[in-house]
């Protein structure tokens, strides 16, 4: 598969979405033939493709059944509720959009609507009353496959873990910041938790991975610290996004991707270089009609702010923003470190502000 990731030694061109083509192309490699390799996928579709390829080629990795178990949000919610039977999370399946007003009233407001097998936050809606539920129903296909569940209130964590033969090692977590529509606005590290809460988070993540049959490979789990204890939002058989991996590496030297690759290939862990720093990440989004100029001095100004580690634009050069961001897909992000949480926040606010100014590298199209 074409790869621009750091450390790639060889490129194999194939359509990884076609299982037969992927297995045929990878299976010809000498290391694969001798069982000294593994296939990795770092997003939802890639993780599933990799699991299927590893199984057919007899290579180690996350089983397909575990990947699909984590992708099925309804089944995963039912399983995770067994971990706290005294106060499970209320939810209901929805097969027709027209029934959403009834189901949301049944669950109670506010509540969350999400696709049963959705990824990257696509299609997730927070509804606060029946009027919003009726409006939401018009935004989904009439025949659909949705999950309606109670709104979980409290701080939200994103937790990275690495599993080897059924043992789940928690690599780190961040505080996930959200906007009014549940869309992530950023992440902060470290997160100070009391020992009991920290152990409850670890137990929940490990319990969910056990219930899904996830025995090997990386995982990314979202948890909310409710008044009744930690509760699962969702989990995935893959690492978090590249920007999240960079955040953990900047904060305390944890190389999530390096650890996952080493574990899958039976290699020693990469050398860890603790930073003992506070780190934060903020997403930056632009209104529709905004055009990214070639020079982009706003990005250069943001990169020059002391403490900024990385500024990443996800829009191709010269492109025009056509629509607001959806789900977990954002137009840009800025990553920074500093000696304290308040200092990180100031750096991020300043850099994000520079990136957002039209006169600093962006122009509105007529």
């Amino acid at each position: 598969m074409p790869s621009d990731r750091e450390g790639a030694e060889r490129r194999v061109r194939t359509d990884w979405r076609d299982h037969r083509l992927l297995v045929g192309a990878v299976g010809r490699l000498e290391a694969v033939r001798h069982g000294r390799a593994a296939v990795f996928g770092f997003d939802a579709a890639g993780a599933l493709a990799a699991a299927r390829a590893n199984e057919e080629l007899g290579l180690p990795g996350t089983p397909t059944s575990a990947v699909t178990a984590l992708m099925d949000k309804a089944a995963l919610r039912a399983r995770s509720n067994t971990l706290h039977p005294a106060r499970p999370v209320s939810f209901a399946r929805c097969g027709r959009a027209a029934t959403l007003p009834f189901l949301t009233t049944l669950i109670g407001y506010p509540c969350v609507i999400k696709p049963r097998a959705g990824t990257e936050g696509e299609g997730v809606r927070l509804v606060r009353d029946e009027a919003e539920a009726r409006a939401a129903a018009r935004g989904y296909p009439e025949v659909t496959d949705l999950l309606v569940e109670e709104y979980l209130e409290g701080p939200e964590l994103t937790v990275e873990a690495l599993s080897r033969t059924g043992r789940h090692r928690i690599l780190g977590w961040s505080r996930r910041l959200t906007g009014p529509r549940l869309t992530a606005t950023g992440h902060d590290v470290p997160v100070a938790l009391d020992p009991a809460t920290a152990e409850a988070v670890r137990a929940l993540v490990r319990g969910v991975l056990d219930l899904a049959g996830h025995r090997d490979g990386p995982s990314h789990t979202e948890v909310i610290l409710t008044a009744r204890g930690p509760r699962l939002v969702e989990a995935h058989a893959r690492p978090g996004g590249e920007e999240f991996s960079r955040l953990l590496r900047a904060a305390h030297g944890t190389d999530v991707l390096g650890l996952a690759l080493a574990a899958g290939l039976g290699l020693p862990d990469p050398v860890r270089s603790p930073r003992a720093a506070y780190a934060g990440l903020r997403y930056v989004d632009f209104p529709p009609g905004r055009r990214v100029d070639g020079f982009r001095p706003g990005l250069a100004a943001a990169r020059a702010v002391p403490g900024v580690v990385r500024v990443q634009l996800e829009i191709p050069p010269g492109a025009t923003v056509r629509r607001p961001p959806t789900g977990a897909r954002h137009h840009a992000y800025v990553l920074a470190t500093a000696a304290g949480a308040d200092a990180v926040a100031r750096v991020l606010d300043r850099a994000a502000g520079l990136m957002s100014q039209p006169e600093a590298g962006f122009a509105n199209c007529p």
Side-chain angles (χ1 to χ4, degrees):
M1 290 181 290
S3 174
D4 295 320
R5 289 189 176 275
E6 296 178 13
E9 295 181 357
R10 179 178 175 183
R11 295 186 179 190
V12 178
R13 294 191 175 278
T14 187
D15 185 353
W16 62 267
R17 295 164 296 184
D18 185 311
H19 178 66
R20 300 312 315 162
L21 290 177
L22 174 60
V23 170
V26 175
R28 290 192 293 270
L29 300 176
E30 182 179 356
V32 173
R33 293 199 305 271
H34 291 86
R36 300 194 305 269
V39 183
F40 298 88
F42 296 104
D43 61 11
L48 183 57
R52 294 182 64 206
N54 283 325
E55 286 187 341
E56 181 156 340
L57 294 167
L59 300 173
T62 305
T64 303
S65 59
V67 178
T68 55
L70 292 172
M71 292 173 70
D72 186 340
K73 293 181 174 59
L76 189 62
R77 175 61 71 198
R79 289 176 175 177
S80 67
N81 274 345
T82 66
L83 299 173
H84 34 76
R87 187 58 178 86
V89 177
S90 301
F91 75 99
R93 290 274 303 276
C94 174
R96 287 191 172 275
T99 64
L100 279 173
F102 168 74
L103 292 175
T104 55
T105 302
L106 186 67
I107 296 298
Y109 299 109
C111 60
V112 177
I113 304 170
K114 61 176 68 172
R116 178 186 169 196
T119 60
E120 304 292 345
E122 294 286 347
V124 177
R125 294 173 182 258
L126 173 66
V127 294
R128 300 175 180 82
D129 52 39
E130 189 173 350
E132 289 191 0
R134 288 195 298 269
R138 293 191 290 271
Y140 295 105
E142 175 53 33
V143 178
T144 187
D145 195 357
L146 301 171
L147 187 65
V148 181
E149 57 185 21
E150 68 173 280
Y151 173 65
L152 299 173
E153 189 171 1
E156 186 170 348
L157 304 180
T158 53
V159 185
E160 297 295 291
L162 182 62
S163 304
R164 300 183 74 168
T165 63
R167 295 176 64 86
H168 313 299
R169 173 184 172 189
I170 306 301
L171 300 178
W173 52 56
S174 79
R175 170 75 183 271
R176 182 178 187 265
L177 309 177
T178 59
R181 296 186 178 182
L182 303 183
T183 301
T185 59
H187 296 269
D188 285 334
V189 178
V191 183
L193 300 179
D194 64 80
T197 300
E199 185 52 38
V201 170
R202 295 187 186 98
L204 175 61
V205 171
R206 289 170 175 150
V208 167
L209 296 176
D210 283 340
L211 289 169
H214 183 85
R215 294 182 53 79
D216 294 282
S219 61
H220 177 81
T221 305
E222 297 172 12
V223 174
I224 291 183
L225 305 179
T226 75
R228 304 183 301 274
R231 293 293 185 268
L232 174 72
V233 178
E234 55 187 52
H236 309 274
R238 57 165 177 80
E242 182 180 4
E243 72 276 14
F244 184 68
S245 297
R246 290 182 181 276
L247 174 68
L248 289 184
R249 187 164 55 188
H252 45 70
T254 300
D255 186 351
V256 175
L257 296 183
L259 288 166
L261 292 170
L265 298 172
L267 301 174
D269 286 352
V271 176
R272 183 170 180 239
S273 302
R275 306 290 181 85
Y278 284 80
L281 182 149
R282 295 294 182 272
Y283 295 109
V284 180
D285 297 308
F286 312 114
R290 174 112 2 135
R291 179 172 58 83
V292 182
D293 291 335
F295 185 53
R296 299 192 297 273
L299 298 180
R303 290 189 178 105
V305 174
V308 169
V309 174
R310 185 177 182 84
V311 172
Q312 178 68 32
L313 186 68
E314 304 290 356
I315 304 171
T320 299
V321 176
R322 298 298 181 188
R323 61 178 184 176
T326 58
R329 302 178 186 277
H330 296 272
H331 298 144
Y333 71 84
V334 57
L335 172 62
T337 61
D342 291 341
V344 168
R346 288 193 296 270
V347 171
L348 291 168
D349 287 345
R350 183 181 177 191
L354 289 169
M355 295 170 64
S356 300
Q357 293 176 8
E359 63 273 17
F362 300 98
N364 289 327
C365 294

